[in-house]
Amino acid sequence: MNRKLILSFALFGTLLTATAQTKVAPAIPRDEKIEQQIETLLKKMTLDEKVGQMCELTIDLLQKRTNPFAGVDPQNFKVEDLKKILKTYKLEKEYDLSKGMPDQQVMMQIYMRIQGIEGKKGYQMDEAMLDTIIGKYKVGSILNVPNGVAQSVEKWQEIIKRIQEKSMKEIGIPCIYGVDQIHGTTYTLGGTFFPQGVNMAATFNRALTREGARISAYETKAGSIPWTYAPVTDLGRDPRWPRMWENYGEDAYVNAEMGREAIIGFQGEDPNRIGDNNVAACMKHYMGYGVPVSGKDRTPSSITEQDMREKHFAPYLEMVKAGALSVMINSAMNNGLPFHANYELLTQWLKEDLNWDGMIVTDWADINNLYSRDHIAKDKKEAIKLAINAGIDMSMDPYDWKFCTLLKELVQEGEVPMSRIDDAVARVLRMKYRLGLFEKPYNDLKDYPLFGGKEHVAAALKAAEESLVLLKNADGILPLAKGKKILLTGPNANSMRCLNGGWSYTWQGSNAEACAADYNTILEAFTNKFGADNIIYEAGVTYNEKGNWQDENAPEIDKAVAAAANADYIVACIGENSYCETPGNLTNLFLSENQLNLVKALAKTGKPVILILSEGRPRLIADIEPLSKAVVDIMLPGNYGGDALANLVAGDANFSGKMPFTYPKEINSLITYDYKPCEHIGKQMEGAYNYDAQVSVQWAFGYGLSYTTFEYSNLKVNKPNFNANDELTFAVDVKNTGNRVGKESVLLFSSDLVASLTPDNRRLRAFEKVELQPGETKTVTLKLKGSDLAFVGYDGKWILEKGDFRIQAGNQVLNVVCTDTKKWETPNK
């Protein structure tokens, strides 16, 4: 074939692609005024200003570092010099200099002592560094938390106002500041904490998720922070993974539904005009992050195209449709290609196929990883080239502005086209215009009188109550009888850190006790609820807060056993200390030996044991679960989790949470509810060889008890025979057959009985939560499109095949029949 003919076919293919793209409506409606502003500004910007807008650096670089020895000649450092320094800091009485200069160890103590004094002054801006970052390198974004710990709302205002003043003066473009406030206003002192994502999934209550995001946006904006790195929709499908608690459980549909609600809560209804009480959301981590082969953070995955399109992409598709303004990328790789260099997933799937004009930001230093860790680039410059050409718009570097100079060189050398730079910068500017930052770079705290107020607290408490899952309640031991003695034990009984998890005041959640003194631990909440005279506290096992998150002190189990002699009930609060990201990697899922031994010893007393599981992922407890009378999985319910648990255990509120993931029973039997049929036979084959895995679980996805009971009946559908274009309306009657008011999450599952690719055992297709009075019956309606039952075939294309589907809600089952096969030629249905 000659060269001209090849070029003709290539041009024809490009035209076809362009034509196909124009048929996809913009994910976010185009705003002509904003687009004109972007075009005008781009024409005025220099290349330095453009690459600067594509760089994001950490606030740590802007911190003023005090050197108490500045101005002193280190070669001629005298005792008199040190005396002056000690006097300045009023430390002259703490150190004896009568024998001359102290040794190096004491000098280090002096230095650290002075740094501690300086640190108490709070974060101070280094104006010279601000001039370098904003004035010289034109950096467009700053992120993270000063000193690594939550700041007061007033301090946030002070910091961001100064950055914005400098940015508007030097560049005429506002900075965009971003923070990981993923479960409420978690990096602002006095802000409202909601339960972590996995808890919000357990509520199966869309309204609570939207309201939590709305409140978080309001309180975040009170500190002039316009951008939050949330929601997290990674699909927590591997319980070994240390970030499982950040997202909305294992199911793609739940993550998509909750993700959409969070986007609307954060941003409001109009993504082109983010209001004063709203912030830009950042979907993360795009995508497939939650299923690493090793189970460890930031390690490779091996996801098929079918699973990637059908499950891992689903939440992002839904959130983009809801107007999400930005996305953060998965730090790992799939099938050998790091996500940060994957043109197909970044540019084609996200930007082109969806006609999405939002902005893509890297995760922490992940462009550097392309050469330092993944070895697909020889150096930083080549890594930048790969990432930017793949579709990255902003690099969270976060300590090195060399990104700017290297990217500028790449453009000048023709390695990164100017068109790619203009597209990336337009996306950054577009988000800033949509946020109104050009007109209002920072906010006034007086406009946010509801910050941390009673209305927000009530919403967080309600979310916490609906998120706790009652997994066992033998003989109706819960609610606990009034006036009885309760032994509270276990390492999580008196810890705010364990209630909140990571991304709470600090990255690892390790400073929660100091920052959350105004809130109640489980011990404090139970004392308030049941009375101090009825509460006995003896931990038995405690965490070593000076060590790693999982380290424990020498156990004192005998003390807890002795205390049980005076108790009627034993409430054992066990699980995990807080952790975040890679530091949370595990070697196995078993609960610690000390905690297992504590429960076993307490069970031998004959007193009834109630297990409270406070943990970010399921820890294996198969050998102690039979020793308990009741089990409650509270996961990570936030600052009001202790109060919520006390209300529920006392019977002042009713349990309504359901498991958002499958709780494993065996170390080598990790499975999700939507497994393939060959993963679970139910009955082993006869004979010498068993070729089929038999999987057992501790508690199933969607499982959860209540203080009342519910009865399902009369499941019906409007169209027993359907095609891809039909809307199916299912109706089922749900009756409260108990004697207390209760809420029930009605889950609708489908099973494709025969398909050209082995179908999943079942899939969640719809859910609604309903409240019922004792004896009350309500008809719950659940709708889905015929096309919702399609799957991604072996060729990577969506297909709905004719045939039978089994539909289930509660114990009610019916069959529906697809009458026509439909195959989609577009990437998305």
Side-chain angles (χ1 to χ4, degrees):
M1 188 178 291
N2 64 45
R3 186 169 178 272
K4 288 185 178 180
L5 192 56
I6 293 173
L7 289 174
S8 297
F9 278 128
L11 180 60
F12 182 65
T14 303
L15 289 173
L16 283 179
T17 303
T19 303
Q21 289 173 16
T22 58
K23 292 182 180 178
V24 179
I28 301 174
R30 180 181 171 90
D31 186 296
E32 292 301 337
K33 180 181 178 181
I34 290 177
E35 296 307 313
Q36 184 59 53
Q37 289 173 316
I38 294 169
E39 184 178 346
T40 301
L41 183 52
L42 273 176
K43 290 177 180 177
K44 296 178 181 178
M45 293 174 69
T46 66
L47 182 56
D48 286 317
E49 290 172 334
K50 289 179 179 179
V51 297
Q53 286 299 300
M54 297 171 65
C55 183
E56 183 176 43
L57 299 177
T58 176
I59 188 68
D60 295 346
L61 289 174
L62 290 172
Q63 181 162 5
K64 186 176 183 180
R65 307 288 178 179
T66 300
N67 180 6
F69 306 116
V72 177
D73 181 1
Q75 304 299 324
N76 192 28
F77 195 15
K78 301 176 182 178
V79 173
E80 287 73 19
D81 297 324
L82 185 55
K83 285 182 177 178
K84 290 179 182 179
I85 293 171
L86 293 177
K87 187 175 182 180
T88 299
Y89 288 95
K90 300 180 180 179
L91 298 176
E92 62 269 29
K93 295 181 180 179
E94 293 189 25
Y95 297 95
D96 182 9
L97 302 183
S98 62
K99 297 180 181 179
M101 290 292 290
D103 60 25
Q104 186 175 359
Q105 184 176 357
V106 174
M107 287 296 292
M108 180 56 69
Q109 291 175 359
I110 292 172
Y111 177 80
M112 295 305 296
R113 183 79 171 84
I114 292 172
Q115 289 301 318
I117 294 171
E118 289 290 341
K120 290 181 180 179
K121 296 178 181 178
Y123 184 88
Q124 293 178 294
M125 190 78 72
D126 185 331
E127 288 292 331
M129 187 60 75
L130 182 65
D131 190 59
T132 297
I133 289 174
I134 303 293
K136 182 177 180 180
Y137 290 100
K138 319 297 182 185
V139 168
S141 182
I142 305 293
L143 84 152
N144 222 358
V145 186
N147 295 322
V149 67
Q151 302 291 303
S152 69
V153 67
E154 292 84 5
K155 192 66 178 181
W156 275 123
Q157 284 276 4
E158 174 192 322
I159 291 168
I160 293 176
K161 180 180 180 182
R162 180 69 196 108
I163 292 172
Q164 295 290 38
E165 287 173 344
K166 185 71 172 180
S167 190
M168 294 303 291
K169 178 182 178 182
E170 295 291 339
I171 322 173
I173 300 173
C175 178
I176 184 164
Y177 201 107
V179 175
D180 291 278
Q181 304 213 109
I182 72 167
H183 69 111
T185 325
T186 51
Y187 275 123
T188 307
L189 295 172
T192 306
F193 281 33
F194 277 77
Q196 293 279 6
V198 70
N199 285 72
M200 298 306 295
T203 70
F204 283 91
N205 188 331
R206 297 175 182 86
L208 289 178
T209 297
R210 183 182 292 198
E211 180 67 355
R214 184 195 67 80
I215 289 172
S216 177
Y218 176 95
E219 295 190 351
T220 297
K221 208 62 170 289
S224 284
I225 302 170
W227 190 21
T228 188
Y229 302 132
V232 184
T233 58
D234 289 319
L235 307 193
R237 297 173 70 79
D238 189 328
R240 300 172 298 170
W241 189 50
R243 307 193 72 167
M244 185 171 173
W245 45 271
E246 295 183 41
N247 57 74
Y248 300 111
E250 72 183 41
D251 179 62
Y253 177 71
V254 175
N255 273 272
E257 291 293 293
M258 296 305 196
R260 181 194 63 239
E261 296 303 309
I263 293 296
I264 297 171
F266 282 128
Q267 296 186 171
E269 299 283 354
D270 184 354
N272 277 311
R273 292 167 186 81
I274 306 300
D276 287 344
N277 294 339
N278 295 101
V279 297
C282 187
M283 314 174 280
K284 66 182 193 184
H285 305 83
Y286 181 81
M287 59 187 163
Y289 194 17
V291 287
V293 174
S294 70
K296 291 182 167 55
D297 186 42
R298 286 175 165 81
T299 59
S301 58
S302 183
I303 306 169
T304 65
E305 182 181 0
Q306 288 76 23
D307 266 3
M308 190 70 84
R309 175 73 73 181
E310 190 175 326
K311 294 179 180 177
H312 297 282
F313 188 58
Y316 297 93
L317 177 62
E318 191 66 27
M319 290 186 289
V320 165
K321 290 178 180 178
L325 296 187
S326 65
V327 65
M328 186 183 294
I329 306 305
N330 177 353
S331 293
M333 68 178 69
N334 189 58
N335 296 329
L337 182 61
F339 284 85
H340 282 76
N342 194 319
Y343 178 87
E344 179 186 9
L345 297 184
L346 300 185
T347 297
Q348 292 179 350
W349 283 35
L350 192 57
K351 293 181 176 180
E352 294 177 354
D353 292 348
L354 301 183
N355 198 358
W356 180 66
D357 63 6
M359 193 265 283
I360 297 178
V361 63
T362 75
D363 206 338
W364 189 269
D366 275 334
I367 288 182
N368 293 342
N369 284 332
L370 297 182
Y371 72 93
S372 65
R373 181 193 69 184
D374 301 328
H375 306 297
I376 68 166
K378 64 181 178 180
D379 54 25
K380 180 163 184 167
K381 187 172 181 178
E382 186 177 13
I384 293 171
K385 170 187 169 181
L386 290 174
I388 300 303
N389 284 339
I392 295 296
D393 302 311
M394 179 182 284
S395 173
M396 185 189 293
D397 219 68
Y399 288 102
D400 186 6
W401 52 72
K402 192 182 293 183
F403 167 87
C404 300
T405 57
L406 292 175
L407 181 54
K408 181 180 178 180
E409 289 175 12
L410 287 164
V411 175
Q412 292 171 335
E413 294 163 4
E415 295 296 318
V416 174
M418 196 66 208
S419 59
R420 175 75 272 269
I421 298 296
D422 284 344
D423 174 63
V425 176
R427 291 170 183 273
V428 175
L429 296 177
R430 187 176 291 116
M431 186 159 74
K432 294 180 178 184
Y433 277 116
R434 284 170 166 165
L435 282 162
L437 292 177
F438 283 85
E439 296 81 20
K440 198 172 186 179
Y442 49 88
N443 303 88
D444 192 330
L445 181 55
K446 69 177 176 57
D447 295 330
Y448 299 89
L450 300 181
F451 178 88
K454 293 181 179 179
E455 296 92 338
H456 295 179
V457 170
L461 177 61
K462 180 180 180 183
E465 287 178 349
E466 291 200 25
S467 77
L468 308 192
V469 186
L470 179 61
L471 295 170
K472 181 178 182 180
N473 194 21
D475 303 322
I477 191 171
L478 298 180
L480 291 181
K482 305 293 184 183
K484 299 291 185 178
K485 300 285 187 182
I486 301 169
L487 169 64
L488 272 171
T489 186
N492 296 35
N494 195 29
S495 169
M496 291 306 302
R497 176 178 178 177
C498 296
L499 291 175
N500 281 312
W503 300 121
S504 304
Y505 299 113
T506 65
W507 176 39
Q508 296 292 315
S510 53
N511 202 36
E513 307 314 312
C515 296
D518 293 338
Y519 309 101
N520 293 321
T521 65
I522 295 173
L523 171 62
E524 291 164 342
F526 271 57
T527 300
N528 293 339
K529 178 65 65 173
F530 295 99
D533 292 341
N534 293 320
I535 299 297
I536 306 164
Y537 173 60
E538 191 62 61
V541 177
T542 55
Y543 297 116
N544 177 8
E545 294 297 343
K546 294 181 180 179
N548 292 324
W549 65 270
Q550 73 270 35
D551 290 347
E552 295 172 350
N553 297 310
E556 297 180 318
I557 294 174
D558 290 345
K559 289 184 178 181
V561 170
N566 299 315
D568 298 300
Y569 302 109
I570 298 170
V571 176
C573 303
I574 57 177
E576 297 183 315
N577 205 352
S578 73
Y579 54 85
C580 194
E581 298 188 83
T582 304
N585 283 342
L586 279 178
T587 54
N588 69 68
L589 269 176
F590 287 110
L591 193 66
S592 80
E593 185 177 359
N594 286 338
Q595 295 188 53
L596 292 173
N597 289 338
L598 173 66
V599 174
K600 291 173 183 176
L602 290 169
K604 290 179 181 178
T605 67
K607 302 295 176 70
V609 175
I610 294 100
L611 297 181
I612 307 298
L613 308 179
S614 172
E615 51 194 16
R617 58 193 152 193
R619 303 300 293 268
L620 302 183
I621 59 167
D623 53 344
I624 61 171
E625 178 275 325
L627 306 179
S628 68
K629 297 287 284 185
V631 182
V632 181
D633 194 349
I634 71 171
M635 295 168 281
L636 298 172
N639 275 337
Y640 302 100
D643 300 303
L645 179 64
N647 290 344
L648 289 160
V649 168
D652 296 334
N654 197 352
F655 285 96
S656 66
K658 291 183 181 290
M659 291 303 297
F661 55 82
T662 304
Y663 202 115
K665 188 174 186 178
E666 309 291 347
I667 192 67
N668 290 326
S669 294
L670 306 181
I671 198 169
T672 55
Y673 86 95
D674 50 351
Y675 56 79
K676 299 297 182 184
C678 62
E679 294 182 76
H680 180 60
I681 300 304
K683 180 180 180 182
Q684 291 186 348
M685 291 175 62
E686 304 257 340
Y689 299 101
N690 175 24
Y691 294 101
D692 300 288
Q694 183 174 8
V695 176
S696 60
V697 301
Q698 194 77 57
W699 291 287
F701 172 85
Y703 181 78
L705 302 174
S706 169
Y707 290 146
T708 189
T709 51
F710 299 96
E711 181 181 277
Y712 287 69
S713 63
N714 203 28
L715 177 61
K716 295 180 179 180
V717 64
N718 64 328
K719 292 191 174 185
N721 300 294
F722 71 95
N723 61 39
N725 298 320
D726 287 331
E727 182 176 80
L728 301 175
T729 301
F730 295 90
V732 64
D733 292 339
V734 183
K735 181 179 181 180
N736 183 344
T737 54
N739 58 9
R740 308 181 46 127
V741 63
K743 293 181 179 180
E744 171 72 349
S745 292
V746 180
L747 311 183
L748 188 77
F749 295 93
S750 74
S751 299
D752 194 343
L753 300 185
V754 178
S756 56
L757 280 186
T758 298
D760 294 336
N761 176 60
R762 64 177 185 163
R763 292 286 297 277
L764 181 67
R765 300 299 187 184
F767 64 83
E768 292 295 340
K769 196 163 193 176
V770 60
E771 183 175 80
L772 296 167
Q773 298 294 322
E776 183 182 12
T777 300
K778 286 185 179 178
T779 299
V780 179
T781 301
L782 304 119
K783 295 182 178 182
L784 63 149
K785 295 177 289 186
S787 58
D788 289 340
L789 298 176
F791 64 95
V792 177
Y794 198 73
D795 60 359
K797 295 182 177 180
W798 285 97
I799 186 169
L800 174 65
E801 295 176 342
K802 63 187 301 184
D804 290 2
F805 292 81
R806 183 172 60 243
I807 306 296
Q808 181 179 5
N811 61 354
Q812 299 292 293
V813 176
L814 60 75
N815 274 26
V816 293
V817 179
C818 177
T819 56
D820 298 298
T821 295
K822 178 175 180 177
K823 192 169 190 175
W824 283 261
E825 294 302 323
T826 53
N828 302 293
K829 294 177 290 171

